Amino acid sequence: EVHLVVSGGGLVQPGRSLRLSCAASGFTFDDYAMHWVRQAPGKGLEWVSSVSWNRANIDYADSVKGRFTVLRDNADNSLYLQMNSLRPDDTALYFCVKGDYGANSGAFDYWGQGTLVTVSS
Amino acid sequence: SYELTQPPSVSVSPGQTASIPCSGDDLGDKFVNWYQQKPGQSPLLVMYQDSKRPSGIPERFSGSNSGNTATLTISGTQAIDEADYHCQAWDSDAAIFGGGTKLTVL
């Protein structure tokens, strides 16, 4: 059974940094693309970033480009999101998501439980 | 930038057919995926590549995509199908989501 356990959310001041972690299990991690998707309170889903199985392709939403960095450690079955220069509009529930194949362009077939990031002074 | 448009809400009576549209320029040229999200839960993939059902998704869920509109159809809608439904496609290496549609079964 696929498990995606996310940690690292919390309250942070504008301009500060935060690092989210996602521990994956139940599948061959290095066969699949991994993604971050967020959802602001009461709003729809917003794609944040994707990394292909071998890290050859990394993509970011324009809203986070230059501030967020996605990392994956295939030896440790882990996905990370380093978030710098955080802004109030980054406040959201952040989901770690498994892709349904190795490239970035597939469906999101398993979602973690989400971790809340609140950016406020 | 590419946009996907969904109606904010759709209502259906139990046992009837619900159709949830998702529109975008030449959307028929892309694969569309659909996610169901119930309150307080993470999204669940219910349709991928326009019309393929993941394992465990009931047969009453079906999908289509042609022209500028993709549609998620739920036949014989049940109360447990009440949820938000989000369409999604890829454009220029970016995943795009529609705004979501709240399906009410009443």
Side-chain angles (χ1 to χ4, degrees):
Chain A
E1 185 180 356
V2 173
H3 285 285
L4 300 167
V5 179
V6 188
S7 60
L11 174 63
V12 62
Q13 293 179 328
R16 304 299 292 265
S17 298
L18 205 60
R19 181 175 169 110
L20 305 183
S21 300
C22 173
S25 61
F27 64 102
T28 305
F29 184 74
D30 54 11
D31 278 350
Y32 296 94
M34 294 295 296
H35 312 270
W36 290 99
V37 176
R38 68 185 181 183
Q39 186 170 35
K43 301 297 184 182
L45 300 173
E46 180 188 14
W47 170 75
V48 174
S49 181
S50 299
V51 53
S52 62
W53 67 280
N54 60 356
R55 296 188 292 269
N57 295 100
I58 295 176
D59 299 302
Y60 298 97
D62 287 344
S63 58
V64 307
K65 201 172 294 183
R67 301 186 299 122
F68 290 12
T69 302
V70 64
L71 304 157
R72 69 182 294 163
D73 183 344
N74 286 347
D76 200 28
N77 291 353
S78 294
L79 179 72
Y80 303 95
L81 186 67
Q82 177 66 41
M83 303 185 293
N84 297 333
S85 303
L86 282 161
R87 310 188 301 220
D89 61 358
D90 293 318
T91 295
L93 191 62
Y94 283 74
F95 295 101
C96 169
V97 187
K98 173 186 170 293
D100 68 349
Y101 67 102
N104 285 353
S105 55
F108 304 136
D109 63 354
Y110 288 94
W111 298 62
Q113 84 283 10
T115 188
L116 182 62
V117 172
T118 303
V119 184
S120 175
S121 54
Chain B
S1 60
Y2 196 82
E3 293 183 357
L4 294 176
T5 301
Q6 297 181 241
S9 62
V10 168
S11 297
V12 64
S13 299
Q16 299 304 301
T17 296
S19 294
I20 302 174
C22 172
S23 63
D25 289 342
D26 296 321
L27 186 56
D29 294 338
K30 306 178 188 297
F31 278 138
V32 176
N33 308 307
W34 290 90
Y35 306 89
Q36 176 194 70
Q37 187 179 26
K38 296 182 179 180
Q41 296 185 16
S42 299
L44 172 72
L45 179 67
V46 296
M47 198 66 56
Y48 67 102
Q49 291 183 10
D50 299 337
S51 58
K52 297 180 180 178
R53 274 182 297 106
S55 174
I57 301 303
E59 290 184 8
R60 63 180 181 273
F61 286 83
S62 62
S64 64
N65 184 19
S66 179
N68 294 322
T69 304
T71 303
L72 179 70
T73 302
I74 309 172
S75 304
T77 307
Q78 301 181 10
I80 58 170
D81 299 327
E82 187 163 287
D84 292 331
Y85 290 85
H86 308 269
C87 62
Q88 176 259 318
W90 287 87
D91 180 76
S92 301
D93 297 325
I96 310 298
F97 285 96
T101 297
K102 180 176 179 58
L103 177 67
T104 301
V105 183
L106 41 67

